[in-house]
Amino acid sequence: MGDETNSQIKVVSGPAGYVLQDVPHLNDYIPDLPTYPNPLRSNPAYSVVKQYFVHVDDTVPQKIVVHKESPRGIHFRRAGPRQKVYFDADEVHACIVTCGGLCPGLNTVIRELVCSLYHMYGATKVLGIDGGYRGFYSRNSITLTPKVVNDIHKRGGTIIGTSRGGHDTSKIVDSIQDRGINQVYIIGGDGTLKGAAAIFEEVRRRGLKVAVVGIPKTIDNDIPVIDRSFGFDTAVEEAQRAINAAHVEAESVENGVGVVKLMGRYSGFIAMYATLASRDVDCCLIPESPFFLEGKGGLFEYVEKTLKENGHMVIVIAEGAGQELLSGSLQPGAEKDPSGNRQLQDVGLWISNRIKEHFAKRNKMVLTLKYIDPTYMIRAIPSNAADNVYCTLLAQSAVHGAMAGYTGYTSGLVNGRQTYIPFNRITERQNKVVITDRMWARLLSSTNQPSFLGPKEMAEAIKEEEPPTGLLDGENCQDAHSGKPPDEIEHSNTC
Ligand SMILES: Nc1ncnc2c1ncn2[C@@H]1O[C@H](COP(=O)(O)OP(=O)(O)OP(=O)(O)O)[C@@H](O)[C@H]1O
Ligand SMILES: O=P(O)(O)OC[C@H]1O[C@](O)(CO)[C@@H](O)[C@@H]1O
Ligand SMILES: [Mg+2]
């Protein structure tokens, strides 16, 4: 076995091309830390479970579709409770912070972090950081107990508040140190987890016994490696209501067009899955797939054809789609949010107006268009049952890892198993819909919309998305559930 370590990732290699991308441990930079028997040993709920403690060598493969001769590939450490813990119950002083946009399930994760710490490990000092990263240094904290969080999973939003911007690593770590916090649970998206990685680096540089743990959150499902992000399922389900409404409006009038805008800044997963789930959508437009309006093979031609054939149509558009077509009208100074994310213009309104103008100008076809913008409605709701269970497992895994002394990781579902993933694997890129994969092809064949790609664009898309290593025949597909790109495909049965 060969080893290679940097501060954020420990690579252990083994026979037959086995690679473990391991997560840091407090032991890496603080020697001789005392350990304690895991209190779950005597917890009546768990003591009866056979093999409750995770074996030290348990790891989970990132890729489960393999050839007979292919290397075993990348693995992640399996999440779960360990025999030994590195924190005594009385010593634990945990805090929880939520950052970035809202997402169904945030309150469930908060609830389950608090309850896991209290009920599994007997830890009773848990603080909520008020209003995102800046709350570390500019606000009072909120005391969290099982009683306080008892029914918060039934509410949307986050009871401790969230924000964008305001990440000051040094001030945040000063606050962690001043308050005597030794477990930091950070719930957020790609930006938040970059912030978490910076906090981890600073904590390590200062030699503090502080576990820094991320729980990946994003309604856009744009976090790589993991099967899917919590809240995504709920958001797709809620989007059905808007699509249904658009369909009812459209089919009730002559030449009715319903336009629905859904979230998805850089990735169109919500639009793609909501479209596939609904079956009422005739056209789905996402950021990853460029489109055009005028001329042969363009959107206007397709609208006209669909209306002639069916008398009505529904268009779903992700908020980040086609931004390049309307970027000319962006107001200077309003381009970025406080976290530095590009501010998007209302592409739903724009496309609705363009369709109306086009058909009015041609005076050939009178159409009635209704534009529905449910963007915030799909993320401000409580999580559904499936997401609630998922949030619970993520939170419990996060706590088990911190108690076992791991740090600098996010908990995450990989091929249906809870794992610990090094921060830099999560922050190195964004997960996007791969338009040369089978999932997008399935969508195109379900809506019958044009691909809007000429031979030149198609060649470029294939070139851009070419996987780094040789794939199995027909493996250039996405996982039906996660929509992950080809280098991370694991579920052959979905292709
Ligand atoms: N590169 C970075 N380094 C440190 N902190 C960052 C970085 N990018 C973003 N942050 C901080 O992370 C927090 C959340 O970031 P952002 O607003 O981009 O949301 P996010 O976590 O990506 O979630 P989402 O995009 O799903 O809403 C903000 O407080 C922001 O200042
Ligand atoms: O209006 P806000 O809160 O900045 O959030 C909008 C963005 O947040 C997200 O929900 C998550 O990144 C995006 O889909 C959306 O563009
Ligand atoms: Mg983000």
Side-chain angles (χ1 to χ4, degrees):
M1 299 260 271
D3 284 10
E4 197 188 302
T5 302
N6 71 33
S7 57
Q8 278 192 37
I9 194 163
K10 295 195 288 188
V11 181
V12 180
S13 47
Y18 172 92
V19 176
L20 167 63
Q21 293 193 337
D22 204 0
V23 297
H25 194 279
L26 294 170
N27 257 339
D28 297 344
Y29 63 95
I30 313 174
D32 306 323
L33 281 171
T35 59
Y36 313 88
N38 193 321
L40 284 169
R41 272 173 208 227
S42 42
N43 183 319
Y46 299 99
S47 53
V48 291
V49 181
K50 207 172 142 209
Q51 288 197 328
Y52 185 66
F53 295 110
V54 170
H55 191 278
V56 66
D57 284 336
D58 279 0
T59 59
V60 177
Q62 182 176 4
K63 191 169 174 173
I64 57 169
V65 178
V66 288
H67 281 178
K68 195 167 61 178
E69 303 299 336
S70 54
R72 291 175 67 199
I74 293 170
H75 292 65
F76 299 109
R77 190 163 282 287
R78 184 181 176 194
R82 267 51 185 181
Q83 301 268 5
K84 284 187 305 187
V85 294
Y86 281 73
F87 292 91
D88 184 41
D90 293 339
E91 180 195 352
V92 174
H93 192 179
C95 76
I96 304 171
V97 62
T98 50
C99 309
L102 293 183
C103 180
L106 280 167
N107 279 334
T108 313
V109 176
I110 295 169
R111 182 188 192 280
E112 296 309 318
L113 286 171
V114 174
C115 291
S116 303
L117 284 161
Y118 265 76
H119 301 320
M120 289 180 166
Y121 289 101
T124 55
K125 278 180 275 176
V126 190
L127 294 177
I129 302 299
D130 189 357
Y133 277 135
R134 62 166 60 89
F136 271 106
Y137 54 85
S138 65
R139 299 271 184 93
N140 289 330
S141 54
I142 304 156
T143 302
L144 297 174
T145 62
K147 198 167 170 204
V148 169
V149 299
N150 184 42
D151 61 359
I152 62 170
H153 59 296
K154 295 175 189 159
R155 286 183 245 161
T158 156
I159 59 152
I160 53 179
T162 185
S163 64
R164 297 194 189 273
H167 180 98
D168 183 324
T169 311
S170 167
K171 282 192 193 169
I172 291 169
V173 180
D174 286 349
S175 158
I176 290 169
Q177 222 173 336
D178 292 348
R179 294 175 201 233
I181 289 167
N182 50 22
Q183 293 186 4
V184 184
Y185 295 95
I186 301 172
I187 312 168
D190 54 339
T192 304
L193 297 173
K194 283 178 193 151
I199 293 170
F200 161 70
E201 292 290 357
E202 182 59 15
V203 159
R204 186 183 163 115
R205 198 187 62 77
R206 296 188 194 184
L208 307 176
K209 187 189 172 188
V210 176
V212 182
V213 182
I215 292 124
K217 171 247 42 150
T218 162
I219 199 169
D220 293 351
N221 200 31
D222 58 2
I223 295 181
V225 182
I226 60 174
D227 291 356
R228 67 180 191 283
S229 47
F230 73 80
F232 177 71
D233 207 47
T234 308
V236 170
E237 201 171 290
E238 187 66 9
Q240 301 303 300
R241 284 163 26 100
I243 295 173
N244 284 344
H247 186 235
V248 169
E249 289 286 344
E251 70 173 355
S252 303
V253 293
E254 197 184 338
N255 292 330
V257 179
V259 175
V260 178
K261 183 180 76 171
L262 295 174
M263 279 195 169
R265 213 197 293 259
Y266 306 110
S267 60
F269 288 107
I270 298 177
M272 179 167 79
Y273 278 86
T275 296
L276 277 165
S278 148
R279 314 275 162 181
D280 285 336
V281 180
D282 302 285
C283 188
C284 173
L285 301 168
I286 60 169
E288 295 89 336
S289 183
F291 64 92
F292 58 96
L293 303 179
E294 318 258 359
K296 194 160 171 41
L299 183 68
F300 292 153
E301 183 190 74
Y302 178 59
V303 172
E304 189 172 334
K305 178 176 157 278
T306 311
L307 290 179
K308 276 186 185 149
E309 281 170 11
N310 301 336
H312 68 277
M313 82 178 291
V314 175
I315 300 172
V316 163
I317 185 159
E319 61 178 339
Q323 287 291 320
E324 68 287 353
L325 300 175
L326 33 41
S327 56
S329 50
L330 193 66
Q331 298 210 336
E335 295 97 341
K336 298 270 169 81
D337 73 10
S339 292
N341 299 304
R342 192 159 60 101
Q343 294 276 33
L344 301 178
Q345 298 190 80
D346 190 343
V347 71
L349 189 60
W350 173 82
I351 206 156
S352 300
N353 288 337
R354 292 300 314 271
I355 293 170
K356 283 196 270 188
E357 278 162 24
H358 175 82
F359 285 93
K361 227 190 298 163
R362 293 188 64 206
N363 215 5
K364 198 171 160 196
M365 190 180 255
V366 179
L367 55 79
T368 305
L369 185 146
K370 301 283 189 251
Y371 170 41
I372 300 180
D373 178 357
T375 35
Y376 291 98
M377 292 179 68
I378 67 165
R379 73 171 202 187
I381 50 171
S383 44
N384 67 13
D387 273 326
N388 266 336
V389 174
Y390 183 24
C391 291
T392 304
L393 296 185
L394 280 172
Q396 290 186 355
S397 299
V399 170
H400 290 313
M403 291 302 297
Y406 293 113
T407 180
Y409 66 89
T410 69
S411 62
L413 200 67
V414 175
N415 295 315
R417 295 287 182 159
Q418 291 291 332
T419 64
Y420 299 137
I421 306 163
F423 278 143
N424 54 3
R425 282 305 316 277
I426 291 282
T427 55
E428 67 192 3
R429 66 176 181 83
Q430 271 175 327
N431 195 25
K432 295 200 182 215
V433 173
V434 179
I435 59 165
T436 51
D437 275 354
R438 287 187 187 169
M439 205 58 191
W440 186 242
R442 283 186 189 110
L443 179 136
L444 295 181
S445 64
S446 134
T447 59
N448 288 316
Q449 70 190 68
S451 75
F452 301 108
L453 296 177
K456 195 170 142 249
E457 288 88 1
M458 199 48 145
E460 265 165 31
I462 289 169
K463 208 169 103 203
E464 247 173 51
E465 287 151 6
E466 212 156 72
T469 52
L471 288 167
L472 303 175
D473 273 352
E475 200 193 16
N476 191 19
C477 60
Q478 280 176 307
D479 168 38
H481 198 51
S482 69
K484 288 194 298 188
D487 56 333
E488 290 173 10
I489 298 156
E490 289 95 12
H491 304 296
S492 59
N493 58 351
T494 60
C495 297

